[in-house]
Amino acid sequence: MFYVEILGMIPEMAKAEVQALAELGRGEVLGSDYLLVYGRVENIDVLSRLGLAHEYGILVGSFESIEDLIEYSEGIEWRKLISGTFAVRKERMLNCSYEVENIDKRVGAIINSQGLKVNLSKPDTIVRIYCGRKLWLGIRLREFKGKEFDARKADKRPFSRPIALPPRIARAMVNLTRATREVLDPFMGTGGMLIEAGLMGLKVYGIDIREDMVEGAKINLEYYGVKDYVVKVGDATRIREAFPGKTFEAIATDPPYGTSTTLPMDRDELYKRALESMYEVLEGYLSIAFPADFDAVEVAESIGFKVLERFYQRVHSSLSRYFYVMRV
């Protein structure tokens, strides 16, 4: 069993990302409690790819009273779960329905009584208690610190442009494709999507209609240590011309919205032609963003895509968008 504490920025998209990775790990999401998502998986390491998450770990149990949690904690052989020193940290979610003032100290005392040492400043293991509709007990395996993603923001890259998806969202979009081998971004820009995919060990392919963007993307990919890439000048409406005979396991992309860029044709026509081109070369899932005023469902389904999910985000006063998951 696993738990994931997701971010609250686009929670439904974050839950879908967990589900996508759980499927890759031969498992599934079983439910959620506010920002805690839980499920079962055979390969929990796949959750290390997460983008829209604070942390993940092993779910030890869920409880409907403090007394049940304490009693269960007393019966656990904590040495089998904890290596080195430990600390217990609780999280009150907005829907917390219990009085958990000293619950971390009570559980910590139980663990300490079994001979394990407390270290509140730099523990080797974090025991987590979440309070929501239920009480949840877990062992943290990894925390996703904001500074890791901040180091890959657009303004931190050697070649940068102000219009770019945040790295966490780009990573989630890649994960929503269920990619295990490769990802194509036909609107590559400065390479943000490819950086995230490459850091997850995927082979990345990208095209952009502008040569300066292609050269800049190469610089960025090398800067972040991504070596397994193929990027070239190309037209997203003619992907086959850029990669003759090639099909792709997955596509993740964020087309230009035309708000601060000059598009080569009418915006909606560009999107339609690009979707047609992607459909020709795609074997599996497409993760794509469009402005909210574009009827992506009707256009995509007329081409042959099956639209599985969409997630709304208001970016600012003049831009709202949907993130879509589709498949051929």
Side-chain angles (χ1 to χ4, degrees), residues 25 102 154 214 235 254 257 292:
N102 295 310
V214 175
D235 186 339
D254 181 36
Y257 304 151

Side-chain angles (χ1 to χ4, degrees), residues 178-198:
R178 281 89 168 154
T180 61
R181 305 187 313 274
E182 63 184 16
V183 169
L184 165 69
D185 183 353
F187 291 100
M188 174 180 61
T190 62
M193 199 84 72
L194 302 187
I195 292 168
E196 297 306 313

